[in-house]
Amino acid sequence: MDTSKLSLGDQIAAASGMALFIFMFLPWYGASVSTNITGAGGISVSDTANAWQVFSFIDILLFLIAVVAVGVPVAKATGSLPEDVPGALLVLAAGALGVVLVLYRILDIPGPDVSSFGGVDVDFGRKIGIFLGLIATAGIAYGGWRANEESPVSSTPVSAPPPPAPEPPAATG
Protein backbone atom coordinates (compact mmCIF):
# COMPACT_ATOMS: atom_id res chain seq x y z
CA MET A 1 0.00 0.00 0.00
CA ASP A 2 1.48 3.30 -1.11
CA THR A 3 -0.11 6.11 0.90
CA SER A 4 1.85 8.69 -1.08
CA LYS A 5 -0.70 8.14 -3.87
CA LEU A 6 -3.41 9.62 -1.64
CA SER A 7 -4.23 13.30 -1.85
CA LEU A 8 -5.31 15.32 1.16
CA GLY A 9 -8.92 15.00 -0.02
CA ASP A 10 -8.61 11.20 -0.08
CA GLN A 11 -7.24 11.24 3.45
CA ILE A 12 -10.02 13.54 4.69
CA ALA A 13 -12.69 11.33 3.10
CA ALA A 14 -11.21 8.14 4.56
CA ALA A 15 -10.86 9.60 8.05
CA SER A 16 -14.42 10.96 7.88
CA GLY A 17 -15.72 7.56 6.73
CA MET A 18 -14.07 5.83 9.69
CA ALA A 19 -15.45 8.51 12.02
CA LEU A 20 -18.98 8.07 10.60
CA PHE A 21 -18.84 4.34 11.29
CA ILE A 22 -17.79 4.99 14.90
CA PHE A 23 -20.36 7.77 15.38
CA MET A 24 -23.15 5.41 14.34
CA PHE A 25 -22.65 3.64 17.68
CA LEU A 26 -23.07 6.84 19.73
CA PRO A 27 -26.52 8.00 20.91
CA TRP A 28 -28.39 9.73 18.08
CA TYR A 29 -31.77 10.12 19.81
CA GLY A 30 -33.10 10.16 23.32
CA ALA A 31 -36.52 9.73 24.86
CA SER A 32 -37.68 10.59 28.32
CA VAL A 33 -41.01 9.76 29.88
CA SER A 34 -42.27 11.34 33.07
CA THR A 35 -45.54 10.99 34.93
CA ASN A 36 -47.48 13.66 36.73
CA ILE A 37 -50.18 11.31 37.99
CA THR A 38 -51.36 12.15 41.49
CA GLY A 39 -50.20 9.53 43.95
CA ALA A 40 -47.61 8.05 41.58
CA GLY A 41 -44.85 10.24 42.91
CA GLY A 42 -43.59 11.53 39.56
CA ILE A 43 -41.74 8.68 37.88
CA SER A 44 -39.23 9.55 35.15
CA VAL A 45 -37.48 7.20 32.71
CA SER A 46 -35.11 8.02 29.87
CA ASP A 47 -33.26 6.06 27.22
CA THR A 48 -31.09 6.69 24.16
CA ALA A 49 -30.71 4.92 20.85
CA ASN A 50 -27.94 4.89 18.26
CA ALA A 51 -28.26 4.89 14.46
CA TRP A 52 -28.27 1.09 14.29
CA GLN A 53 -31.19 0.84 16.72
CA VAL A 54 -33.38 3.61 15.32
CA PHE A 55 -33.12 3.32 11.56
CA SER A 56 -34.30 0.44 9.44
CA PHE A 57 -32.71 1.34 6.09
CA ILE A 58 -30.81 4.60 6.51
CA ASP A 59 -28.29 2.90 8.79
CA ILE A 60 -27.38 0.50 5.97
CA LEU A 61 -26.99 3.40 3.53
CA LEU A 62 -24.79 5.31 6.00
CA PHE A 63 -22.67 2.19 6.49
CA LEU A 64 -22.25 1.83 2.71
CA ILE A 65 -21.32 5.52 2.47
CA ALA A 66 -18.62 4.95 5.10
CA VAL A 67 -17.38 1.90 3.18
CA VAL A 68 -17.14 3.91 -0.06
CA ALA A 69 -15.36 6.76 1.75
CA VAL A 70 -12.73 4.38 3.11
CA GLY A 71 -12.68 1.85 0.26
CA VAL A 72 -11.95 4.21 -2.63
CA PRO A 73 -8.80 5.72 -1.04
CA VAL A 74 -7.62 2.25 0.04
CA ALA A 75 -8.12 0.94 -3.50
CA LYS A 76 -6.29 3.99 -4.83
CA ALA A 77 -3.38 3.46 -2.40
CA THR A 78 -3.07 -0.22 -3.31
CA GLY A 79 -3.22 0.52 -7.02
CA SER A 80 -6.33 -1.60 -7.55
CA LEU A 81 -8.61 1.29 -8.55
CA PRO A 82 -8.90 1.36 -12.35
CA GLU A 83 -7.92 4.61 -14.01
CA ASP A 84 -11.32 5.02 -15.69
CA VAL A 85 -13.23 4.89 -12.36
CA PRO A 86 -13.94 8.39 -11.02
CA GLY A 87 -13.26 7.51 -7.38
CA ALA A 88 -13.33 11.08 -6.10
CA LEU A 89 -16.73 11.68 -7.70
CA LEU A 90 -18.08 8.48 -6.13
CA VAL A 91 -16.91 9.65 -2.71
CA LEU A 92 -18.35 13.13 -3.30
CA ALA A 93 -21.75 11.70 -4.33
CA ALA A 94 -21.80 9.29 -1.39
CA GLY A 95 -20.95 12.08 1.04
CA ALA A 96 -23.61 14.37 -0.40
CA LEU A 97 -26.20 11.60 -0.06
CA GLY A 98 -25.10 11.07 3.54
CA VAL A 99 -25.49 14.76 4.35
CA VAL A 100 -29.02 14.74 2.93
CA LEU A 101 -29.98 11.60 4.87
CA VAL A 102 -28.64 12.88 8.19
CA LEU A 103 -30.19 16.32 7.72
CA TYR A 104 -33.51 14.63 7.01
CA ARG A 105 -33.22 12.66 10.24
CA ILE A 106 -32.26 15.77 12.20
CA LEU A 107 -35.42 17.50 11.00
CA ASP A 108 -37.71 14.47 11.20
CA ILE A 109 -37.18 12.53 14.42
CA PRO A 110 -38.30 8.91 14.06
CA GLY A 111 -40.85 7.82 16.60
CA PRO A 112 -44.45 8.38 17.59
CA ASP A 113 -45.93 11.87 17.58
CA VAL A 114 -46.90 11.80 21.24
CA SER A 115 -46.08 14.61 23.64
CA SER A 116 -48.58 14.05 26.43
CA PHE A 117 -50.98 11.24 27.17
CA GLY A 118 -53.08 10.97 30.32
CA GLY A 119 -50.62 12.65 32.69
CA VAL A 120 -47.57 11.10 31.01
CA ASP A 121 -45.17 13.48 29.26
CA VAL A 122 -43.00 12.07 26.47
CA ASP A 123 -40.02 14.00 25.12
CA PHE A 124 -38.00 12.90 22.08
CA GLY A 125 -34.72 14.65 21.37
CA ARG A 126 -31.54 14.58 19.34
CA LYS A 127 -28.25 13.54 20.91
CA ILE A 128 -24.61 14.26 20.04
CA GLY A 129 -24.19 11.28 17.69
CA ILE A 130 -26.46 12.65 14.98
CA PHE A 131 -24.59 15.96 14.89
CA LEU A 132 -21.22 14.19 14.75
CA GLY A 133 -22.67 12.02 11.96
CA LEU A 134 -23.58 15.18 10.05
CA ILE A 135 -20.04 16.50 10.45
CA ALA A 136 -18.60 13.16 9.29
CA THR A 137 -20.80 12.97 6.19
CA ALA A 138 -19.93 16.58 5.36
CA GLY A 139 -16.27 15.60 5.76
CA ILE A 140 -16.76 12.75 3.31
CA ALA A 141 -18.37 15.09 0.77
CA TYR A 142 -15.65 17.70 1.25
CA GLY A 143 -12.91 15.08 0.95
CA GLY A 144 -14.44 13.78 -2.28
CA TRP A 145 -14.73 17.30 -3.67
CA ARG A 146 -11.17 18.15 -2.71
CA ALA A 147 -9.80 14.88 -4.12
CA ASN A 148 -11.65 15.63 -7.37
CA GLU A 149 -10.11 19.10 -7.50
CA GLU A 150 -6.63 17.71 -6.73
CA SER A 151 -6.73 14.92 -9.28
CA PRO A 152 -4.93 15.56 -12.55
CA VAL A 153 -7.13 15.96 -15.57
CA SER A 154 -6.68 12.89 -17.72
CA SER A 155 -7.60 14.00 -21.17
CA THR A 156 -5.69 13.81 -24.39
CA PRO A 157 -4.21 17.14 -25.43
CA VAL A 158 -5.95 18.82 -28.30
CA SER A 159 -3.61 19.57 -31.16
CA ALA A 160 -3.38 23.15 -32.29
CA PRO A 161 -5.00 23.96 -35.62
CA PRO A 162 -2.56 24.22 -38.52
CA PRO A 163 -1.27 27.69 -39.27
CA PRO A 164 -2.97 29.50 -42.12
CA ALA A 165 -1.39 29.12 -45.53
CA PRO A 166 0.82 32.05 -46.49
CA GLU A 167 -0.68 34.43 -48.96
CA PRO A 168 0.90 34.50 -52.41
CA PRO A 169 3.11 37.51 -53.10
CA ALA A 170 1.31 40.43 -54.57
CA ALA A 171 1.81 40.87 -58.32
CA THR A 172 3.70 43.99 -59.23
CA GLY A 173 3.23 45.67 -62.44
PDB file of all heavy atoms in Angstrom, residues 121-137:
ATOM      1  N   ASP A 121     -45.839  12.617  30.235  1.00  0.00           N
ATOM      2  CA  ASP A 121     -45.174  13.480  29.264  1.00  0.00           C
ATOM      3  C   ASP A 121     -44.053  12.702  28.582  1.00  0.00           C
ATOM      4  O   ASP A 121     -43.231  12.075  29.240  1.00  0.00           O
ATOM      5  CB  ASP A 121     -44.584  14.712  29.956  1.00  0.00           C
ATOM      6  CG  ASP A 121     -45.658  15.625  30.513  1.00  0.00           C
ATOM      7  OD1 ASP A 121     -46.726  15.733  29.876  1.00  0.00           O
ATOM      8  OD2 ASP A 121     -45.425  16.223  31.579  1.00  0.00           O
ATOM      9  N   VAL A 122     -44.020  12.761  27.248  1.00  0.00           N
ATOM     10  CA  VAL A 122     -43.003  12.069  26.469  1.00  0.00           C
ATOM     11  C   VAL A 122     -42.210  13.127  25.710  1.00  0.00           C
ATOM     12  O   VAL A 122     -42.788  13.999  25.066  1.00  0.00           O
ATOM     13  CB  VAL A 122     -43.646  11.074  25.468  1.00  0.00           C
ATOM     14  CG1 VAL A 122     -42.570  10.371  24.662  1.00  0.00           C
ATOM     15  CG2 VAL A 122     -44.522  10.085  26.206  1.00  0.00           C
ATOM     16  N   ASP A 123     -40.881  13.044  25.799  1.00  0.00           N
ATOM     17  CA  ASP A 123     -40.017  14.004  25.118  1.00  0.00           C
ATOM     18  C   ASP A 123     -38.983  13.251  24.294  1.00  0.00           C
ATOM     19  O   ASP A 123     -38.210  12.459  24.837  1.00  0.00           O
ATOM     20  CB  ASP A 123     -39.322  14.907  26.141  1.00  0.00           C
ATOM     21  CG  ASP A 123     -38.449  15.948  25.487  1.00  0.00           C
ATOM     22  OD1 ASP A 123     -38.820  16.437  24.407  1.00  0.00           O
ATOM     23  OD2 ASP A 123     -37.389  16.264  26.056  1.00  0.00           O
ATOM     24  N   PHE A 124     -38.988  13.480  22.975  1.00  0.00           N
ATOM     25  CA  PHE A 124     -37.997  12.896  22.079  1.00  0.00           C
ATOM     26  C   PHE A 124     -37.005  13.999  21.720  1.00  0.00           C
ATOM     27  O   PHE A 124     -37.393  15.123  21.440  1.00  0.00           O
ATOM     28  CB  PHE A 124     -38.644  12.368  20.791  1.00  0.00           C
ATOM     29  CG  PHE A 124     -39.529  11.183  21.014  1.00  0.00           C
ATOM     30  CD1 PHE A 124     -40.903  11.319  21.063  1.00  0.00           C
ATOM     31  CD2 PHE A 124     -38.984   9.925  21.183  1.00  0.00           C
ATOM     32  CE1 PHE A 124     -41.717  10.237  21.268  1.00  0.00           C
ATOM     33  CE2 PHE A 124     -39.791   8.832  21.393  1.00  0.00           C
ATOM     34  CZ  PHE A 124     -41.168   8.981  21.439  1.00  0.00           C
ATOM     35  N   GLY A 125     -35.727  13.651  21.685  1.00  0.00           N
ATOM     36  CA  GLY A 125     -34.717  14.655  21.367  1.00  0.00           C
ATOM     37  C   GLY A 125     -33.542  14.069  20.610  1.00  0.00           C
ATOM     38  O   GLY A 125     -33.360  12.857  20.530  1.00  0.00           O
ATOM     39  N   ARG A 126     -32.742  14.972  20.065  1.00  0.00           N
ATOM     40  CA  ARG A 126     -31.539  14.579  19.336  1.00  0.00           C
ATOM     41  C   ARG A 126     -30.361  14.566  20.301  1.00  0.00           C
ATOM     42  O   ARG A 126     -30.288  15.391  21.196  1.00  0.00           O
ATOM     43  CB  ARG A 126     -31.278  15.583  18.206  1.00  0.00           C
ATOM     44  CG  ARG A 126     -32.377  15.614  17.187  1.00  0.00           C
ATOM     45  CD  ARG A 126     -32.351  16.955  16.427  1.00  0.00           C
ATOM     46  NE  ARG A 126     -33.597  17.202  15.751  1.00  0.00           N
ATOM     47  CZ  ARG A 126     -34.663  17.801  16.288  1.00  0.00           C
ATOM     48  NH1 ARG A 126     -34.629  18.217  17.524  1.00  0.00           N
ATOM     49  NH2 ARG A 126     -35.756  17.983  15.597  1.00  0.00           N
ATOM     50  N   LYS A 127     -29.445  13.654  20.077  1.00  0.00           N
ATOM     51  CA  LYS A 127     -28.247  13.543  20.906  1.00  0.00           C
ATOM     52  C   LYS A 127     -27.016  13.860  20.062  1.00  0.00           C
ATOM     53  O   LYS A 127     -27.091  14.076  18.859  1.00  0.00           O
ATOM     54  CB  LYS A 127     -28.141  12.129  21.511  1.00  0.00           C
ATOM     55  CG  LYS A 127     -29.284  11.778  22.444  1.00  0.00           C
ATOM     56  CD  LYS A 127     -29.243  12.651  23.666  1.00  0.00           C
ATOM     57  CE  LYS A 127     -30.344  12.286  24.642  1.00  0.00           C
ATOM     58  NZ  LYS A 127     -30.410  13.167  25.773  1.00  0.00           N
ATOM     59  N   ILE A 128     -25.861  13.829  20.671  1.00  0.00           N
ATOM     60  CA  ILE A 128     -24.611  14.259  20.044  1.00  0.00           C
ATOM     61  C   ILE A 128     -24.240  13.422  18.816  1.00  0.00           C
ATOM     62  O   ILE A 128     -23.653  13.935  17.869  1.00  0.00           O
ATOM     63  CB  ILE A 128     -23.465  14.264  21.074  1.00  0.00           C
ATOM     64  CG1 ILE A 128     -22.202  14.916  20.512  1.00  0.00           C
ATOM     65  CG2 ILE A 128     -23.148  12.847  21.544  1.00  0.00           C
ATOM     66  CD1 ILE A 128     -22.305  16.383  20.352  1.00  0.00           C
ATOM     67  N   GLY A 129     -24.587  12.156  18.788  1.00  0.00           N
ATOM     68  CA  GLY A 129     -24.187  11.276  17.693  1.00  0.00           C
ATOM     69  C   GLY A 129     -24.681  11.729  16.342  1.00  0.00           C
ATOM     70  O   GLY A 129     -23.962  11.632  15.338  1.00  0.00           O
ATOM     71  N   ILE A 130     -25.904  12.244  16.279  1.00  0.00           N
ATOM     72  CA  ILE A 130     -26.457  12.646  14.981  1.00  0.00           C
ATOM     73  C   ILE A 130     -25.727  13.878  14.438  1.00  0.00           C
ATOM     74  O   ILE A 130     -25.500  14.003  13.237  1.00  0.00           O
ATOM     75  CB  ILE A 130     -27.981  12.868  15.041  1.00  0.00           C
ATOM     76  CG1 ILE A 130     -28.556  12.896  13.633  1.00  0.00           C
ATOM     77  CG2 ILE A 130     -28.333  14.104  15.824  1.00  0.00           C
ATOM     78  CD1 ILE A 130     -30.051  12.712  13.569  1.00  0.00           C
ATOM     79  N   PHE A 131     -25.315  14.769  15.334  1.00  0.00           N
ATOM     80  CA  PHE A 131     -24.589  15.962  14.887  1.00  0.00           C
ATOM     81  C   PHE A 131     -23.161  15.606  14.470  1.00  0.00           C
ATOM     82  O   PHE A 131     -22.636  16.158  13.496  1.00  0.00           O
ATOM     83  CB  PHE A 131     -24.609  17.025  15.977  1.00  0.00           C
ATOM     84  CG  PHE A 131     -26.010  17.473  16.299  1.00  0.00           C
ATOM     85  CD1 PHE A 131     -26.624  17.095  17.479  1.00  0.00           C
ATOM     86  CD2 PHE A 131     -26.732  18.250  15.395  1.00  0.00           C
ATOM     87  CE1 PHE A 131     -27.921  17.483  17.767  1.00  0.00           C
ATOM     88  CE2 PHE A 131     -28.025  18.645  15.676  1.00  0.00           C
ATOM     89  CZ  PHE A 131     -28.634  18.262  16.863  1.00  0.00           C
ATOM     90  N   LEU A 132     -22.540  14.673  15.172  1.00  0.00           N
ATOM     91  CA  LEU A 132     -21.222  14.193  14.751  1.00  0.00           C
ATOM     92  C   LEU A 132     -21.325  13.435  13.427  1.00  0.00           C
ATOM     93  O   LEU A 132     -20.431  13.513  12.588  1.00  0.00           O
ATOM     94  CB  LEU A 132     -20.605  13.309  15.832  1.00  0.00           C
ATOM     95  CG  LEU A 132     -20.237  14.029  17.137  1.00  0.00           C
ATOM     96  CD1 LEU A 132     -19.765  13.018  18.177  1.00  0.00           C
ATOM     97  CD2 LEU A 132     -19.199  15.094  16.888  1.00  0.00           C
ATOM     98  N   GLY A 133     -22.429  12.707  13.239  1.00  0.00           N
ATOM     99  CA  GLY A 133     -22.668  12.022  11.960  1.00  0.00           C
ATOM    100  C   GLY A 133     -22.809  13.010  10.821  1.00  0.00           C
ATOM    101  O   GLY A 133     -22.324  12.775   9.710  1.00  0.00           O
ATOM    102  N   LEU A 134     -23.459  14.139  11.076  1.00  0.00           N
ATOM    103  CA  LEU A 134     -23.584  15.180  10.054  1.00  0.00           C
ATOM    104  C   LEU A 134     -22.214  15.750   9.698  1.00  0.00           C
ATOM    105  O   LEU A 134     -21.898  15.934   8.519  1.00  0.00           O
ATOM    106  CB  LEU A 134     -24.512  16.293  10.539  1.00  0.00           C
ATOM    107  CG  LEU A 134     -24.717  17.464   9.575  1.00  0.00           C
ATOM    108  CD1 LEU A 134     -25.391  16.996   8.288  1.00  0.00           C
ATOM    109  CD2 LEU A 134     -25.536  18.559  10.243  1.00  0.00           C
ATOM    110  N   ILE A 135     -21.388  15.992  10.701  1.00  0.00           N
ATOM    111  CA  ILE A 135     -20.039  16.502  10.445  1.00  0.00           C
ATOM    112  C   ILE A 135     -19.224  15.481   9.648  1.00  0.00           C
ATOM    113  O   ILE A 135     -18.497  15.840   8.717  1.00  0.00           O
ATOM    114  CB  ILE A 135     -19.342  16.874  11.770  1.00  0.00           C
ATOM    115  CG1 ILE A 135     -20.034  18.084  12.400  1.00  0.00           C
ATOM    116  CG2 ILE A 135     -17.859  17.145  11.560  1.00  0.00           C
ATOM    117  CD1 ILE A 135     -19.610  18.373  13.822  1.00  0.00           C
ATOM    118  N   ALA A 136     -19.355  14.204   9.997  1.00  0.00           N
ATOM    119  CA  ALA A 136     -18.602  13.159   9.292  1.00  0.00           C
ATOM    120  C   ALA A 136     -19.046  13.033   7.841  1.00  0.00           C
ATOM    121  O   ALA A 136     -18.205  12.911   6.938  1.00  0.00           O
ATOM    122  CB  ALA A 136     -18.749  11.818  10.013  1.00  0.00           C
ATOM    123  N   THR A 137     -20.345  13.071   7.580  1.00  0.00           N
ATOM    124  CA  THR A 137     -20.804  12.970   6.191  1.00  0.00           C
ATOM    125  C   THR A 137     -20.398  14.211   5.401  1.00  0.00           C
ATOM    126  O   THR A 137     -20.046  14.108   4.218  1.00  0.00           O
ATOM    127  CB  THR A 137     -22.327  12.763   6.101  1.00  0.00           C
ATOM    128  OG1 THR A 137     -23.002  13.806   6.823  1.00  0.00           O
ATOM    129  CG2 THR A 137     -22.732  11.405   6.642  1.00  0.00           C
TER     130      THR A 137
END
